[in-house]
Amino acid sequence: MSVDSRAENVFKNLRSKGLRVTPQREKILQIFMELKEGTHLSAEDLFKLLAKNNENISLATTYRTLKLLSQFGYLRELDFAEGHKHYELNKDKKPHHHVICLNCNKTMEFEDDLVNQVGYRIAEELGVEIVDIQFKIYAICPGQHDDESRTHRA
Amino acid sequence: MSVDSRAENVFKNLRSKGLRVTPQREKILQIFMELKEGTHLSAEDLFKLLAKNNENISLATTYRTLKLLSQFGYLRELDFAEGHKHYELNKDKKPHHHVICLNCNKTMEFEDDLVNQVGYRIAEELGVEIVDIQFKIYAICPGQHDDESRTHRA
DNA sequence: TTTCGTGCAAACCATTTGCAGCAGC
DNA sequence: GCTGCTGCAAATGGTTTGCACGAAA
């Protein structure tokens, strides 16, 4: 499916809900669709990227659009516990996971069906309906040892 | 090991680093040690709980102490993507995981060694040193269906 | 032409910080 | 007594919101 026809599906769905397709929403979705696989942006990142492309979209609209597209499931909200969220295209709705370095904040992506299956099993046991599965490994990159600056998270 | 002797170990370690044991730090650690298994508090929760116990500890100190105890590995920082962190006692340093209902914000705890092992394996493959493993299932409790209010996260 | 969406600025909320006085060690 | 800790209030940073205008449908 082409980027354009995938985008058109999104817009059709928005319209069917009485929502509008604006140049701002088009542009933001386009940016996410053209992003290299595994790239995720913060609201601020996106705002700056838009500005660099001469799209003067306000920060408020940036936030509102990110929230809208996430609520519709077109974007996924990533939370790496850094105080701000990241967003990525929720392309195939198959969860993939992240390793986050607590020193340099770099992230690495991986997929693991075993982990997903554990998630599905537990959700079934509890009788809850899964929205998303999240598996994160907080770690320290090789060569970056600074014991005092780490924080345990779960 | 008793609560008191575990607390004394913590304090010994703080002192050995040139840090001080203050009534505020004692009280906060004590609260976490007396918490029912699986309970986690936000900074605000803790602050209010202290106030209810007639411990007038400032919010700033509450935050500073939470950060300190987390950095030393005595507490774990939990991030449920609600805009504020939660903290729990990092008792046995064995990761346990959470199911979070996106409607009512209730959380459920579970342990799963399979998931932990996947984490250890991946960290080893990448050559990184694990600080913490986090596995979260965002879901909707039975009977709570409100399609528009969900947000996809990962 | 009726909503809905946008930009702007102000508001919000969790968290952090500068500073002066206080208190462990 | 030195130095770290506390409380206070102000600052910060990410995100949200009220409002008046502009634009999809």
Side-chain angles (χ1 to χ4, degrees):
Chain A
M1 209 193 278
S2 76
V3 166
D4 282 356
S5 66
R6 272 192 291 133
E8 204 35 65
N9 277 342
V10 175
F11 297 145
K12 209 177 289 178
N13 192 14
L14 289 184
R15 285 199 190 90
S16 77
K17 297 274 200 320
L19 299 171
R20 291 174 187 173
V21 175
T22 63
Q24 290 89 335
R25 290 176 179 179
E26 289 182 308
K27 197 70 201 176
I28 287 174
L29 185 61
Q30 188 194 337
I31 287 210
F32 276 103
M33 287 185 165
E34 289 172 354
L35 236 40
K36 186 156 63 84
E37 182 91 33
T39 313
H40 34 76
L41 303 175
S42 67
E44 197 68 34
D45 292 340
L46 175 58
F47 178 67
K48 285 184 189 150
L49 191 53
L50 289 163
K52 209 195 290 182
N53 291 7
N54 292 311
E55 300 289 337
N56 293 316
I57 298 180
S58 73
L59 194 51
T61 295
T62 305
Y63 275 105
R64 285 189 274 234
T65 305
L66 286 171
K67 180 178 257 190
L68 182 83
L69 294 176
S70 298
Q71 284 174 334
F72 275 80
Y74 299 125
L75 298 181
R76 303 173 87 204
E77 242 178 61
L78 308 174
D79 197 329
F80 302 139
E82 320 168 51
H84 56 268
K85 293 167 184 162
H86 285 242
Y87 297 84
E88 65 178 11
L89 197 62
N90 193 13
K91 203 182 291 188
D92 51 12
K93 317 233 170 179
K94 187 174 181 184
H96 59 261
H97 309 295
H98 298 87
V99 180
I100 303 106
C101 173
L102 291 176
N103 268 321
C104 66
N105 280 327
K106 273 212 208 79
T107 62
M108 237 167 296
E109 250 190 21
F110 63 93
E111 288 197 15
D112 191 294
D113 266 331
L114 197 54
V115 167
N116 294 341
Q117 278 158 26
V118 170
Y120 298 138
R121 197 199 71 221
I122 287 171
E124 195 176 338
E125 283 170 14
L126 294 173
V128 302
E129 186 199 345
I130 283 200
V131 175
D132 205 354
I133 290 178
Q134 196 175 159
F135 184 52
K136 284 180 292 191
I137 301 175
Y138 288 104
I140 309 284
C141 283
Q144 298 199 18
H145 291 274
D146 174 8
D147 284 341
E148 297 311 313
S149 73
R150 297 184 213 165
T151 293
H152 284 251
R153 304 168 203 245
Chain B
M1 209 193 283
S2 76
V3 165
D4 282 354
S5 67
R6 272 192 291 131
E8 206 33 67
N9 277 342
V10 175
F11 297 146
K12 209 178 290 178
N13 191 14
L14 288 184
R15 286 199 191 90
S16 77
K17 295 277 201 318
L19 299 171
R20 289 171 189 177
V21 175
T22 62
Q24 290 88 338
R25 291 177 179 177
E26 290 182 308
K27 199 68 202 176
I28 288 174
L29 185 62
Q30 187 195 337
I31 287 210
F32 277 103
M33 286 184 167
E34 289 173 352
L35 235 42
K36 186 156 62 82
E37 181 90 32
T39 313
H40 35 76
L41 302 176
S42 67
E44 197 68 33
D45 292 341
L46 174 58
F47 178 68
K48 285 185 189 148
L49 191 52
L50 288 164
K52 210 194 288 180
N53 294 6
N54 292 311
E55 300 290 338
N56 291 316
I57 298 179
S58 74
L59 194 50
T61 295
T62 304
Y63 275 105
R64 284 190 275 234
T65 305
L66 287 171
K67 180 177 258 189
L68 182 84
L69 294 176
S70 298
Q71 284 173 335
F72 275 80
Y74 300 125
L75 298 181
R76 303 173 88 205
E77 240 179 63
L78 309 173
D79 196 328
F80 301 139
E82 315 169 53
H84 57 268
K85 293 167 184 163
H86 285 243
Y87 297 84
E88 66 178 9
L89 197 61
N90 193 12
K91 203 180 295 186
D92 50 13
K93 317 232 168 178
K94 188 173 179 183
H96 58 260
H97 309 293
H98 298 87
V99 180
I100 302 107
C101 174
L102 291 175
N103 268 322
C104 65
N105 280 327
K106 272 211 211 81
T107 61
M108 240 168 293
E109 250 189 21
F110 63 94
E111 287 197 16
D112 191 292
D113 268 329
L114 196 55
V115 166
N116 294 340
Q117 278 159 25
V118 170
Y120 299 137
R121 197 199 72 221
I122 287 172
E124 196 178 336
E125 284 171 11
L126 294 172
V128 301
E129 186 199 345
I130 285 201
V131 173
D132 206 354
I133 291 179
Q134 193 175 179
F135 184 51
K136 284 180 291 190
I137 302 174
Y138 288 103
I140 309 285
C141 283
Q144 298 201 18
H145 291 274
D146 174 8
D147 284 341
E148 298 311 315
S149 72
R150 298 185 215 164
T151 292
H152 284 253
R153 303 169 205 246

